[in-house]
Amino acid sequence: MTESDTPWEPPLAGTESEHLVGALDRLRTTFRWKADGLDEAGLRLRIGASSLTLGSLLKHLALVEDHIFTTRLTGEPICEPWRSTWEGEEWEFTSAAQDSPEQLYALWDGAVERSRARLAAALADGGLDQLVHLSAPDGRHASLRRLVCDLIEEYGRHTGHADLLREAVDGVVGEDPPAGWRPSSGSS
């Protein structure tokens, strides 16, 4: 097995930045693998009393990606498609059932692509220690490191949800995608 078979693996010995971005990309890839290749029924499947679905998680994490690396990073308003469609808290969870699989995969793939570019630019422009727009009520600003760690935490939580949901859809289980895996749906 080569690095090109598992490009989502963080480096064995890298910088702090390489490790954090690597950990984030590994979680992104694992989440995308769990959500990949499903039709409307698979993306809308619920377990028990929970309203979570793989489709709602795709849409939620797409929104979180754009929010963290736009509004929290720079203070700019969130980008399209969110600016003209967002209807308040939890909207992305409830509205995902109205989106096609192609729309959901495109939302997530596009948001991750934008986030990767914004994060790379921010790292090149000042590194993890730089202060970002997000601030506490007392005026102290968060660092870029904090934003990356927040997104890692968000993916950790929801990748666990995705594990359970995907197993309920079609029995797919596992910690990591198989070597050589690439998305079969969407553009990622």
mmCIF file of all heavy atoms in Angstrom, residues 40 56 68 72 82 88 94 103 152:
data_model
loop_
_atom_site.group_PDB
_atom_site.id
_atom_site.type_symbol
_atom_site.label_atom_id
_atom_site.label_comp_id
_atom_site.label_asym_id
_atom_site.label_seq_id
_atom_site.Cartn_x
_atom_site.Cartn_y
_atom_site.Cartn_z
ATOM 1 N N GLU A 40 -31.898 8.488 -2.773
ATOM 2 C CA GLU A 40 -32.709 9.276 -1.842
ATOM 3 C C GLU A 40 -33.106 8.482 -0.606
ATOM 4 O O GLU A 40 -33.047 8.981 0.515
ATOM 5 C CB GLU A 40 -33.969 9.796 -2.550
ATOM 6 C CG GLU A 40 -33.685 10.950 -3.472
ATOM 7 C CD GLU A 40 -34.949 11.520 -4.099
ATOM 8 O OE1 GLU A 40 -36.073 11.183 -3.664
ATOM 9 O OE2 GLU A 40 -34.796 12.320 -5.031
ATOM 10 N N SER A 56 -29.034 14.825 5.829
ATOM 11 C CA SER A 56 -29.017 16.024 6.678
ATOM 12 C C SER A 56 -27.615 16.289 7.213
ATOM 13 O O SER A 56 -27.221 17.452 7.382
ATOM 14 C CB SER A 56 -30.032 15.913 7.813
ATOM 15 O OG SER A 56 -29.706 14.906 8.740
ATOM 16 N N ILE A 68 -17.508 28.241 9.235
ATOM 17 C CA ILE A 68 -16.244 28.353 9.966
ATOM 18 C C ILE A 68 -15.190 29.081 9.152
ATOM 19 O O ILE A 68 -14.525 29.990 9.658
ATOM 20 C CB ILE A 68 -15.751 26.959 10.415
ATOM 21 C CG1 ILE A 68 -16.600 26.485 11.590
ATOM 22 C CG2 ILE A 68 -14.261 26.990 10.796
ATOM 23 C CD1 ILE A 68 -16.252 25.102 12.117
ATOM 24 N N ARG A 72 -16.560 32.910 10.614
ATOM 25 C CA ARG A 72 -15.708 32.866 11.807
ATOM 26 C C ARG A 72 -14.270 33.269 11.501
ATOM 27 O O ARG A 72 -13.603 33.881 12.332
ATOM 28 C CB ARG A 72 -15.729 31.484 12.437
ATOM 29 C CG ARG A 72 -17.038 31.186 13.118
ATOM 30 C CD ARG A 72 -17.000 29.867 13.817
ATOM 31 N NE ARG A 72 -18.248 29.641 14.531
ATOM 32 C CZ ARG A 72 -18.441 28.662 15.385
ATOM 33 N NH1 ARG A 72 -17.465 27.808 15.653
ATOM 34 N NH2 ARG A 72 -19.601 28.520 15.974
ATOM 35 N N TRP A 82 -25.849 29.425 0.855
ATOM 36 C CA TRP A 82 -26.462 29.589 2.175
ATOM 37 C C TRP A 82 -27.103 30.950 2.365
ATOM 38 O O TRP A 82 -28.157 31.060 2.976
ATOM 39 C CB TRP A 82 -25.426 29.343 3.269
ATOM 40 C CG TRP A 82 -24.617 28.124 3.012
ATOM 41 C CD1 TRP A 82 -23.285 28.068 2.720
ATOM 42 C CD2 TRP A 82 -25.084 26.776 2.991
ATOM 43 N NE1 TRP A 82 -22.899 26.779 2.516
ATOM 44 C CE2 TRP A 82 -23.980 25.953 2.673
ATOM 45 C CE3 TRP A 82 -26.318 26.180 3.201
ATOM 46 C CZ2 TRP A 82 -24.074 24.575 2.578
ATOM 47 C CZ3 TRP A 82 -26.419 24.802 3.102
ATOM 48 C CH2 TRP A 82 -25.309 24.014 2.788
ATOM 49 N N GLY A 88 -32.745 29.728 9.275
ATOM 50 C CA GLY A 88 -32.656 29.660 10.729
ATOM 51 C C GLY A 88 -32.094 28.358 11.245
ATOM 52 O O GLY A 88 -31.822 27.424 10.496
ATOM 53 N N THR A 94 -33.563 19.886 8.535
ATOM 54 C CA THR A 94 -34.936 19.594 8.104
ATOM 55 C C THR A 94 -35.125 19.745 6.603
ATOM 56 O O THR A 94 -35.948 19.049 6.011
ATOM 57 C CB THR A 94 -35.940 20.491 8.847
ATOM 58 O OG1 THR A 94 -35.617 21.864 8.597
ATOM 59 C CG2 THR A 94 -35.904 20.225 10.342
ATOM 60 N N GLN A 103 -27.705 17.093 -5.353
ATOM 61 C CA GLN A 103 -27.593 18.400 -4.706
ATOM 62 C C GLN A 103 -26.830 18.301 -3.388
ATOM 63 O O GLN A 103 -25.988 19.143 -3.095
ATOM 64 C CB GLN A 103 -28.987 18.980 -4.443
ATOM 65 C CG GLN A 103 -29.722 19.422 -5.689
ATOM 66 C CD GLN A 103 -31.168 19.753 -5.397
ATOM 67 O OE1 GLN A 103 -31.886 18.983 -4.747
ATOM 68 N NE2 GLN A 103 -31.615 20.911 -5.869
ATOM 69 N N ILE A 152 -12.636 19.737 13.494
ATOM 70 C CA ILE A 152 -12.273 18.341 13.772
ATOM 71 C C ILE A 152 -13.282 17.740 14.756
ATOM 72 O O ILE A 152 -13.763 16.620 14.561
ATOM 73 C CB ILE A 152 -10.829 18.234 14.315
ATOM 74 C CG1 ILE A 152 -9.826 18.524 13.196
ATOM 75 C CG2 ILE A 152 -10.571 16.853 14.927
ATOM 76 C CD1 ILE A 152 -8.387 18.695 13.668
#
